Amino acid sequence: MTASVIPDIGSPDADLDPSGDRYAQRFAGPVGEYLLSRQTEALLDLLKDMPNATVLDIGGGHGQSARPLLAAGHKVTVMSSSRAAWGQIADLDHPELERTVGPLLELPFADKSFDVVLAFRMMAHVGNWQQLLDEMTRVSRRAVIIDFPLPGGANLAKPVLLWAKKRAEGNTRDYATMARRDVHKHLNGRGFGIKGEVGQFVMPMVVHRTMKSPFVSRTTEAAFRAIGLDRVTGTPVVLRADRMP
């Protein structure tokens, strides 16, 4: 499945493009596998104290979260805006996987329906990220996990980065950034406290793709983590917040 139109920020089908074959190609090959591995490592590490959780994966038709979560023993429900946005998991056959369709900002589930509610590749594109978090916290019993790009660090050069991404990838979609303090404040207001955060990359992902060397990328980012730079400017941030007593 290939999306013919790249949705704008705030589109009701903001999950359509990342579920498609064209988007999946960005993570093909050794460099793409390295980039995706950082996200997977962060996700599984943040969930290591919650075995066999029930997980709602909002906009997860890209399969980047569902596949490792299923392999780790979790039960996953993928919520997509349409059947077309099932994309990479449309034919995935697993006894602990469910697929459903509905509005991403008005989730058709009762309060506290899932142990964990997850949204990757959504905060930067859904437009009203506050409403997304409202719905995620409503249907979560224990925790929410999101990723989002910071306005600082590499994203200070966002116009240049978008131009470079279009040159490297052929096309790309715009994205919104959000301040860490604003995300924290909104989650706190919903009764969720920050449990853990992982800043994925200090260097822009497009730079890693341009270098075409997983070894150089891994070594360079490890050096940044050793001096704590990832905790300040690492982006996108993968964050877990837990429901407070």
Side-chain angles (χ1 to χ4, degrees), residues 95-155:
E96 297 299 325
L97 172 67
E98 294 185 10
R99 289 173 286 260
T100 189
V101 168
L104 303 180
L105 297 182
E106 297 178 7
L107 301 175
F109 304 106
D111 296 356
K112 300 182 181 180
S113 293
F114 301 89
D115 294 325
V116 181
V117 182
L118 165 75
F120 277 2
R121 314 283 175 194
M122 288 298 300
M123 288 279 286
H125 305 288
V126 75
N128 191 341
W129 61 265
Q130 295 92 341
Q131 186 176 349
L132 175 66
L133 289 186
D134 289 348
E135 283 293 277
M136 292 179 69
T137 53
R138 179 182 66 79
V139 302
S140 169
R141 275 192 295 271
R142 299 177 60 185
V144 298
I145 297 179
I146 55 174
D147 75 334
F148 62 95
L150 298 174
N155 282 324

Side-chain angles (χ1 to χ4, degrees), residues 18-19 23 39 57 59-65 85-86 88-89 120-121:
S19 73
Y23 189 90
Q39 176 180 286
D57 183 6
H62 46 70
Q64 294 177 352
S65 307
W86 284 349
Q88 300 302 308
I89 64 159
F120 277 2
R121 314 283 175 194

Side-chain angles (χ1 to χ4, degrees), residues 222-240:
F224 288 141
R225 289 197 296 276
I227 61 175
L229 199 55
D230 60 311
R231 294 192 294 272
V232 180
T233 63
T235 188
V237 173
V238 179
L239 177 152
R240 170 177 161 178

Side-chain angles (χ1 to χ4, degrees), residues 6-167:
I6 300 176
D8 295 328
I9 296 174
S11 168
D13 60 352
D15 60 331
L16 182 59
D17 184 60
S19 73
D21 295 337
R22 180 187 60 78
Y23 189 90
Q25 286 301 310
R26 299 183 189 181
F27 297 92
V31 175
E33 290 173 3
Y34 161 71
L35 295 174
L36 188 55
S37 74
R38 288 286 297 141
Q39 176 180 286
T40 301
E41 290 166 5
L43 173 60
L44 295 181
D45 186 61
L46 288 172
L47 276 179
K48 63 186 178 183
D49 65 332
M50 294 179 62
N52 307 119
T54 57
V55 181
L56 174 64
D57 183 6
I58 301 173
H62 46 70
Q64 294 177 352
S65 307
R67 293 177 188 276
L69 287 173
L70 291 167
H74 301 288
K75 182 176 181 178
V76 180
T77 298
V78 174
M79 177 76 192
S80 299
S81 61
S82 66
R83 286 179 176 268
W86 284 349
Q88 300 302 308
I89 64 159
D91 299 320
L92 180 58
D93 184 17
H94 194 286
E96 297 299 325
L97 172 67
E98 294 185 10
R99 289 173 286 260
T100 189
V101 168
L104 303 180
L105 297 182
E106 297 178 7
L107 301 175
F109 304 106
D111 296 356
K112 300 182 181 180
S113 293
F114 301 89
D115 294 325
V116 181
V117 182
L118 165 75
F120 277 2
R121 314 283 175 194
M122 288 298 300
M123 288 279 286
H125 305 288
V126 75
N128 191 341
W129 61 265
Q130 295 92 341
Q131 186 176 349
L132 175 66
L133 289 186
D134 289 348
E135 283 293 277
M136 292 179 69
T137 53
R138 179 182 66 79
V139 302
S140 169
R141 275 192 295 271
R142 299 177 60 185
V144 298
I145 297 179
I146 55 174
D147 75 334
F148 62 95
L150 298 174
N155 282 324
L156 288 172
K158 179 184 167 185
V160 176
L161 291 178
L162 280 174
W163 174 84
K165 282 169 64 66
K166 289 177 181 177
R167 293 270 297 181

